[in-house]
Structure formats: C-alpha cells, structure tokens
Amino acid sequence: MDIGGLETMVANTAYVSARGELGPTSGRDRRFRARLKLPHINHCEHLKDSLDLDFDYICVRQPIGKKLFQQFLEETDEFRPSAGLWSDMENYSRVDESERPPNSQQTINKYFDSASKEFCSFLEEKAIMRVKEDAKHGHIDLFKESEQHLLKFLEQEAFGKYKESLYFCRFLQFKWLESQHVSEDWFLDFRVLGKGGFGEVCACQMRATGKMYANKRLNKKRLKKRQGYEGAIMEQRILAKVHSRFIVTLAYAFQTKHDLCLVMTLMNGGDLRYHIYNVDENNPGFEESRAIFYTAQIICGLEHLHQNRIVYRDLKPENVLLDDAGHVRISDLGLATEIPEGQEKTKGFAGTPGFMAPEMLKGEEYDSSVDYFTLGVTLFEMIAAKGPFRSRGEKIENKEVTRRILHDPPLYTEKFSAECKSCCEGLLAKDPAKRLVFKNNTCNELKSHILFKKMNWSRLEAGLLDPPFVPDPKVVYAKDISDVGAFSTVKGVVLEDADKAFYEEFSTGNVPIPWQEEMVEMGIFEELNVWGPKGSVPQDLDR
Ligand code: ADP
Ligand code: MG
Ligand code: MG
C-alpha cells in the first residue's frame, strides 16, 4: 500500500469508529462537557428583554422551549389535559397508517367527549364533529384543525402564566448557555470529506456532546482574492434561516485565524454524483424507483426554499448528499439568492454549465422556475447516467452547451419509462411558463405528476419512508484523501479592518434550533434540566 492509501485507511478507521460509537455519552470529552453548565437565574434574567417572545417561536419551534413549556403544562392542573392532547396528536402523526383509526379513537374518547373528565372544552363544536366522523379514514391531517384550536388556547391562556413560571426561568438559563458561542477548540476534526471552492470539508465531532457534524471551511484569504464574501454570507444566512429535513442544517458559524467555518449536518453517505457513477462503474445510473425517491425528497427541499423566497440555482447530483439512512438533503447554498419581499424576479448568472435554465442563459429575469429546470437535468442524469445536454467527460465549449440548452430537445433512451420521460419534459420545458414549477406557494402540481403516483408524500415529508438504498456504515463514500487534492497557498492578500468586520458579521455562533436539537438528542438537556423534590425550588432558580 502506498503512503496515500495508508493515510486514507488510518483516517477512515478513526472516522468510522467515531461515528459508530454507541450510547449517548460516548465520544464526549469530559472537560468540554463540564463547561456546559446552567448559570444561576440571576445571570440570565436580563435575557427576557432581548429575546423574541413570540409564542410560536418560544413554545413550538424551539425544541428546548417546547419541552419546557410542555413540562409546565403537565405540572399545572388546568393545562394537563391540553398537554395530553398535544402529545397524543404528535404521536398520531408518527404511527403507522393502519394503526391510525384505533389510535385516534383513544384520543377522541379522552379529550373530545364532553363526558370525559379530560374533555378539552376549547375545541370548537364543528371540529369535534368532523374529527369524530373522519376518524375511521385515518388521514394524516385528522387533527390539523384541532391542533390550531389547541395552540390558540395555549397562547391565550397558558403562555402568560408560563412566562411567570420557573420553567420559563429554566428556559432563560438554556438561552444563556446557547448564547455562549463555541469556537474551534470545541470541535475535533476527522478526515476530509470533500473539497470546496474555498476550502476543505471535514467530518468533526462536537467535544462536549459527542455529536458528529461536517465542518465546511472557507479560507479567508482565498475568499477575499476571489470575491467570495457575498456568497459566503448568503450561504450562512440562508442555511441558518431554513429548517427542513431535506436541506442541510447549519448548527454553528464561527471563525478561526485562517478560516470561516460552517458546521452543518453530517451527510455520511456521499453525494448523488458519486452514487450515479462510482459505486457500480459498469452499470451507472439508478433504477427508476430509486431516482423517483431522491427526486421527491429534492422536491420537498426546493418547496421549502421557494416558500422562503430563496432560489437555489445550483441543483445538480453533486450537491445532493446522502445521510446514514439513505435520505438525501440539498447542500451547498453558496449560489442561492433571496428574492426580496414585494419583488417577483431576480437576475444574475449563476449555476453550473449544462444545468442552467434557458431564461437565465438568455440574461432574462427569472424566479424559482430555474430550479425546476435543474431538477429536470438532475432527474435525467440519475436515469441516463449522462446529462441531457452534455455527456460525461465530453469536451465541448460552454457556448455549445448553451446552444443545446436553448434549442435542442434531449434524447430519451429506452431507459426512460413513459412517465419518467413525461416528467423530465415537463421540468425541462424551455419556456418557464410551460414548465412544471412551484405555483400558488406549493409544488402540488409537480407532486401529482403520474411519475409520483405511488408516492406517499405525507409519510415522505415526515421522514417515515424507507430509503431505497442504505449506505454501508463501514464504507466511506468519499474519494481517497490523496485524490481530494490540496490547495495552493494564497499570496498577495492582506486582511484589513473591513475584512475583520465582515468576519465578525459572519460568525454568529450557535444557531438556536439546531443547537437545542443537539442538546436534546445527545442527552444534555435531560442531564441539565434537574428539578429536585416536588414543590421545592432548585438552588439555581432561587432568587
Ligand atoms: P463548495 O461550495 O465550495 O462547492 P460544497 O458545499 O459543495 O463546497 O462542499 C464541497 C464537498 O464537501 C462536497 O462536494 C461534498 O463532497 C463535501 N461535503 C459538503 N457538505 C457536506 C456535508 N454536510 N456532509 C458531508 N460532506 C459534505
Ligand atoms: Mg459544491
Ligand atoms: Mg458552493
């Protein structure tokens, strides 16, 4: 074995063993874990004035906020039934389809029946009737309307009391801890996973919790030299803003001496391009059912971006990554842009040759429709193992690729079923007005295309469908370290005060929702949220 091969083997072994460690506390570094401590309440009371005290954000969307609010409800006589109903409704969305009717019946008997002592009288009469009638069908959104009533009731009746309670004080303690930014030394780096335009992406482990992440480094000097600031801040802002299981999540943004760092969801399974071409080199491309699954997950990610007015612009197999279970997420949002409120379109040339939509190539204004063209190219490539406008390795000028995109219809081989061809044609329509796109704030038209006739979208969106392919946990789906390639040093760039101000702006620290998810998932929340005997006030909350 050569030195490069040996280096890769050693790095892979360390990385595979770190991510394979079992148990919630393994992989933790005790010294760093000890630094995660709740302060005395007197140190965090002031946070009340600076926090966004929106009910939905505090009690529903933030994981720790929600847990503490639910704990408050369970401990308060008048709200205990609503806590039970809330938890029942959440369970309902997770049970198997066949289990739903009996499961919902229990909930109905307990909370929807005026004779029950846990009856929730805030539920409106009409909604109660409808739920009772529809229960036998087992639709996923059976309780949707009731949930709205529940949340409205909790906001009006419970939220005020919660804010006066010790549970809310505990929430402030966690918000204080969350606001203590972590830095480079909190992360242990593992092997390189890939190479980006401005630096490497490494697997890393948060030392205090043991959670594995990917760390995308952007070299400061390289960014400055190649005018990458705008893209970097866009990527950071957009990643921090979106929360979807179909898009990589940003958990931390900080700086080191040489780099800006984005710490994100670790996607262990490699990218789609690797799977299309490199896993089985004699038989590239995917079976149709596998391509449909990935395409459906990508559609959910795009829908979320477009609902947030974000145009992605760089969809391609290489930017879609697999996790341990085989689910995919969109990554690399460095070319994404936001359409400002009140505006319908944007302009600018951004993307990858062979993928860009005709309207963009013509220099016209465009909207999210360009992302459905790139989706068409991606779906085509998953099936054909070549692009619709350019074969793999074909040496042609960008001008010729552009000409083909503008004028040539793609050639569909016998690998395409009629349904798949029809979907590609809908997505690859040269005129965006005729394309299958995001409309009326959803992708419903595309989702109901015949290619997806067997897709159970609500289960897919809840993460409940089994992926068609599960990556082998012992395999590292990335190039050998020596093939990733090194960077040359950047010369002749001097960093000034304005640059430093920009790095400060970028380094926003811990991102609230993912940080809280990590604390819950890794057991830290449970360990810190200690109450002592019933009725007593814990020392750290005693003012
Ligand atoms: P760039 O914007 O510079 O192209 P990318 O975000 O595409 O950088 O990252 C470069 C490479 O690093 C990717 O092609 C992929 O191989 C790897 N990579 C990026 N993000 C992740 C992640 N979250 N998990 C695992 N690998 C990743
Ligand atoms: Mg990339
Ligand atoms: Mg990028």
Side-chain angles (χ1 to χ4, degrees), residues 15 19 193 211-212 244-249 264-272 275 290 293-294 297 319-331 460 463-475 477 521:
Y15 165 54
R19 73 183 198 206
L193 297 169
K211 187 167 167 85
M212 300 289 297
S244 156
R245 68 169 78 250
F246 305 107
I247 304 168
V248 294
T249 298
M264 313 176 282
T265 324
L266 175 61
M267 301 299 284
N268 276 320
D271 64 61
L272 282 188
H275 286 277
R290 187 170 171 195
F293 183 86
Y294 296 147
Q297 295 200 320
N319 282 343
V320 180
L321 309 178
L322 274 77
D323 69 12
D324 283 332
H327 293 285
V328 296
R329 293 185 191 235
I330 289 171
S331 82
L460 182 83
L464 295 171
L465 287 190
D466 290 331
F469 163 84
V470 181
D472 182 339
K474 290 190 201 67
V475 172
Y477 294 91
E521 181 194 339

Side-chain angles (χ1 to χ4, degrees), residues 51 74 128 131 178-179 204 211 259 288 308 359 382 420 438 466 518 521 531 536:
L51 286 182
E74 279 156 21
I128 293 182
V131 166
E178 175 191 293
S179 70
C204 69
K211 187 167 167 85
D259 300 314
E288 188 175 288
N308 284 285
E359 61 272 27
M382 285 193 250
C420 191
F438 179 78
D466 290 331
E518 178 181 348
E521 181 194 339
W531 287 93
S536 70

Side-chain angles (χ1 to χ4, degrees), residues 97-215:
E97 232 155 333
S98 58
E99 294 294 313
R100 282 189 205 142
N103 180 286
S104 63
Q105 201 51 54
Q106 283 185 359
T107 306
I108 291 168
N109 295 344
K110 214 163 162 187
Y111 304 107
F112 286 69
D113 189 342
S114 56
S116 160
K117 67 176 190 305
E118 281 154 312
F119 174 58
C120 289
S121 57
F122 54 80
L123 296 167
E124 286 168 25
E125 192 111 10
K126 263 201 222 139
I128 293 182
M129 301 272 286
R130 258 199 298 272
V131 166
K132 285 182 175 169
E133 271 168 32
D134 291 350
K136 57 179 179 293
H137 303 304
H139 292 312
I140 184 114
D141 47 10
L142 177 67
F143 292 117
K144 208 171 189 176
E145 200 181 4
S146 318
E147 190 173 359
Q148 303 289 315
H149 295 160
L150 170 78
L151 292 177
K152 202 169 108 201
F153 166 75
L154 293 177
E155 177 168 9
Q156 284 169 356
E157 301 300 324
F159 189 36
K161 291 176 184 160
Y162 169 65
K163 281 187 285 187
E164 299 300 318
S165 75
L166 287 176
Y167 296 94
F168 183 67
C169 292
R170 185 47 61 78
F171 178 64
L172 293 179
Q173 290 177 304
F174 275 105
K175 288 305 277 187
W176 180 91
L177 191 58
E178 175 191 293
S179 70
Q180 308 301 302
H181 292 182
V182 306
S183 53
E184 178 179 28
D185 53 332
W186 287 72
F187 295 91
L188 179 63
D189 270 350
F190 288 92
R191 67 154 286 173
V192 178
L193 297 169
K195 188 179 166 188
F198 298 104
E200 286 168 344
V201 178
C202 289
C204 69
Q205 187 169 34
M206 164 53 161
R207 294 181 196 255
T209 68
K211 187 167 167 85
M212 300 289 297
Y213 283 109
N215 182 6

Side-chain angles (χ1 to χ4, degrees), residues 51-64:
L51 286 182
D52 171 5
L53 288 182
D54 173 60
F55 169 74
D56 183 56
Y57 187 50
I58 295 273
C59 301
V60 183
R61 282 169 45 218
Q62 296 185 58
I64 287 181

